């Protein structure tokens, strides 16, 4: 209620800095009636957005929409404490905390002034620090239809993703008789890919989801992981799981879940500039992706990454079809991965050569005495 009163007070022609003391009560009542009237008109549409029926009468429901939808900062301590602000950003993006976007949009139209930024601009500016990117506003259609703020922010990651994920391309097929592990293993792990000769490279100047594979090189945009990453991904995936929307982040998450099986996989991705993180260890990153991927329902036919995944798998299949390549890969992994194994190999070779030379000269001296 305090924030609602501050918001109403700040929209008066009086001194906005002392709005609560100076604003005439009659002006607040008129503006509040306008908000209540707008929410009354949208009540039926708003109730239909929720999964279950509300045991709340019309007046209380309208009041809830007005109070929940109005939020105004007037030098409040919550906006001056960094950790609290970050917590607020994450909290406002949780799927269970969303208000229908048309509710926020209508309230904003009634309250905003001509010089105010747009609602979309406010949302993107506020949430951008959770995963900073260049030109975030240019990635979004300001006239688009959105369900809520979570979808607004999610949509800023989709500008370069092919929206038609099945048109003109073959779908990724997995045998219905395949065991569960193989069924969920979309792609080989990073370690296995390197052993098969696949090169990993950071893809520059691309959106997060824009993954590509060509000529033996898997290019993946850089991903920065901190405490916000898990919260964002969980809510993006939760939204995709419960709504009839294309599962881009579900596909992306399952891709990384298959790609990362151990800390060694994370270490290789970090070495190639693909993953940077501030978590405790590389193993923590591996655990994060493996936990996020648990019990996620996904349809491979709807995977926007089906083409690059298929190309990678075919490349690996061709590579492993050659026994000599497999032997050489294993040899290189066993003896050239670490300096001490390499030097041990050199010592063994030198010992073998010396032993061979000694045997040769012994036999040579026996048959051809001096």
């Amino acid at each position: 209620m305090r924030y609602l009163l501050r918001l109403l007070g700040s929209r008066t022609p009086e001194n906005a800095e002392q709005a609560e003391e100076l604003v005439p009560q009659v002006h607040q009542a008129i503006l509040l009636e306008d908000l209540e009237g707008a929410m009354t008109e949208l009540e039926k549409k708003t109730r239909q957005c929720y999964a279950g029926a509300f045991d709340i009468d019309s007046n209380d429901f309208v009041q809830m929409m007005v109070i929940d939808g109005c939020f105004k900062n007037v030098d409040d301590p919550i906006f001056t404490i960094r950790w609290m602000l970050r917590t607020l950003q994450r909290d406002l993006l949780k799927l269970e905390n969303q208000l229908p976007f048309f509710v926020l949009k209508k309230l904003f139209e009634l309250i905003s002034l001509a010089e105010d930024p747009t609602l979309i601009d406010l949302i993107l500016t506020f949430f951008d620090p959770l995963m900073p990117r260049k030109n975030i506003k240019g990635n979004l259609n300001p006239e688009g239809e959105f369900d809520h703020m979570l979808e607004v922010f999610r949509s800023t990651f989709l500008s370069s993703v092919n929206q038609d994920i099945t048109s003109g391309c073959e779908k990724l097929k997995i045998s219905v008789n395949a065991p569960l592990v193989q069924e969920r293993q979309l792609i080989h792990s990073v370690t296995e890919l390197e052993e098969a000769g696949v090169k990993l490279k950071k893809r520059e100047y691309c959106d997060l989801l824009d993954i590509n594979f060509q000529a033996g090189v898997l290019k993946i945009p850089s991903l920065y992981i901190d405490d916000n990453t898990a919260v964002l991904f969980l809510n993006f995936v939760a939204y995709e799981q419960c709504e009839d929307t294309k599962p881009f982040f579900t596909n992306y998450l399952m891709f990384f879940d298959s790609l990362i099986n151990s800390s060694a996989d994370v270490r290789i991705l970090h070495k190639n500039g693909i993953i940077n993180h501030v978590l405790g260890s590389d193993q923590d990153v591996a655990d994060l992706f493996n936990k996020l991927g648990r019990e996620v329902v996904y349809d491979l036919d709807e995977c926007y990454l089906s083409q690059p995944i298929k190309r990678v798998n075919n490349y690996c299949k061709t590579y492993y079809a050659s026994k000599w390549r497999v032997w050489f890969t294993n040899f290189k992994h066993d003896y050239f991965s670490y300096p001490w194994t390499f030097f041990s190999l050199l010592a063994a070779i030198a010992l073998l050569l010396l032993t061979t030379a000694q045997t040769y000269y012994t036999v040579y001296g026996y048959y051809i005495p001096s």
Side-chain angles (χ1 to χ4, degrees), residues 55-292:
D55 187 20
I56 303 175
D57 64 35
S58 179
N59 289 335
D60 289 342
F61 186 84
V62 167
Q63 182 181 12
M64 180 179 68
M65 289 296 100
V66 172
I67 295 175
D68 288 355
C70 295
F71 189 76
K72 175 65 179 178
N73 165 38
V74 183
D75 299 327
D76 194 285
I78 197 173
F79 290 97
T80 60
I81 302 175
R82 288 188 176 182
W83 69 265
M84 194 175 291
L85 179 61
R86 189 55 54 87
T87 300
L88 178 62
Q89 289 169 327
R90 291 196 296 260
D91 196 56
L92 288 176
L93 277 184
K94 288 182 179 179
L95 182 62
E96 63 267 28
N97 288 342
Q98 299 306 305
L99 285 175
F101 193 71
F102 60 81
V103 168
L104 297 177
K105 189 174 181 180
K106 185 61 178 179
L107 291 171
F108 188 78
E109 290 174 356
L110 295 172
I111 293 173
S112 61
L113 301 177
E115 63 271 18
D116 287 340
T118 67
L119 179 58
I120 293 291
D121 286 345
L122 288 174
I123 292 173
L124 298 186
T125 301
F126 183 68
F127 290 120
D128 181 56
L130 293 177
M131 193 171 284
R133 286 159 292 142
K134 295 181 180 179
N135 192 31
I136 182 175
K137 297 178 183 178
N139 293 340
L140 193 68
N141 178 11
E143 304 300 325
E145 295 292 329
F146 303 102
D147 290 338
H148 36 58
M149 290 192 298
L150 176 64
E151 191 195 4
V152 172
F153 193 57
R154 171 183 170 273
S155 297
T156 62
F157 294 89
L158 308 182
S159 63
S160 65
V161 178
N162 182 11
Q163 297 294 315
D164 188 2
I165 58 178
T166 60
S167 176
C169 66
E170 299 179 50
K171 297 176 182 179
L172 180 66
K173 295 296 184 181
I174 291 183
S175 170
V176 293
N177 297 319
L180 181 60
V181 174
Q182 180 182 345
E183 182 178 303
R184 296 185 66 87
Q185 187 75 21
L186 296 182
I187 193 171
H188 293 281
S189 70
V190 171
T191 304
E192 293 171 336
L193 291 179
E194 276 211 332
E195 291 177 351
V198 175
K199 296 180 180 179
L200 293 117
K201 186 176 181 181
K202 179 176 73 172
R203 189 167 191 186
E204 303 282 0
Y205 313 114
C206 286
D207 288 343
L208 184 67
L209 307 182
D210 199 357
I211 296 168
N212 180 265
F213 179 77
Q214 286 183 336
V217 180
L218 180 60
K219 295 182 179 180
I220 306 174
S222 179
L223 172 64
Y224 179 77
I225 300 174
D226 59 11
D227 293 336
N228 302 316
T229 308
V231 177
L232 281 175
F233 284 0
L234 278 174
N235 283 282
F236 288 157
V237 171
Y239 170 62
E240 293 174 352
Q241 294 283 294
C242 69
E243 296 290 338
D244 184 20
T245 186
K246 294 178 180 177
F248 294 115
F249 271 93
T250 302
N251 299 154
Y252 180 82
L253 180 62
M254 298 312 299
F255 174 81
F256 265 96
D257 182 31
S258 295
L259 207 61
I260 297 174
N261 287 336
S262 66
S263 60
D265 297 322
V266 178
R267 194 176 307 116
I268 294 171
L269 291 173
H270 175 69
K271 180 182 69 175
N272 289 278
I274 295 171
I275 280 185
N276 293 293
H277 69 89
V278 293
L279 303 186
S281 66
D282 291 339
Q283 186 60 49
D284 290 335
V285 177
D287 292 340
L288 171 64
F289 278 105
N290 297 153
K291 289 177 182 178
L292 289 176

Side-chain angles (χ1 to χ4, degrees), residues 323-335:
K323 294 182 179 180
W324 283 106
R325 285 181 174 178
V326 174
W327 178 85
F328 180 73
T329 298
N330 293 334
F331 178 82
K332 184 173 65 173
H333 180 268
D334 292 340
Y335 295 104

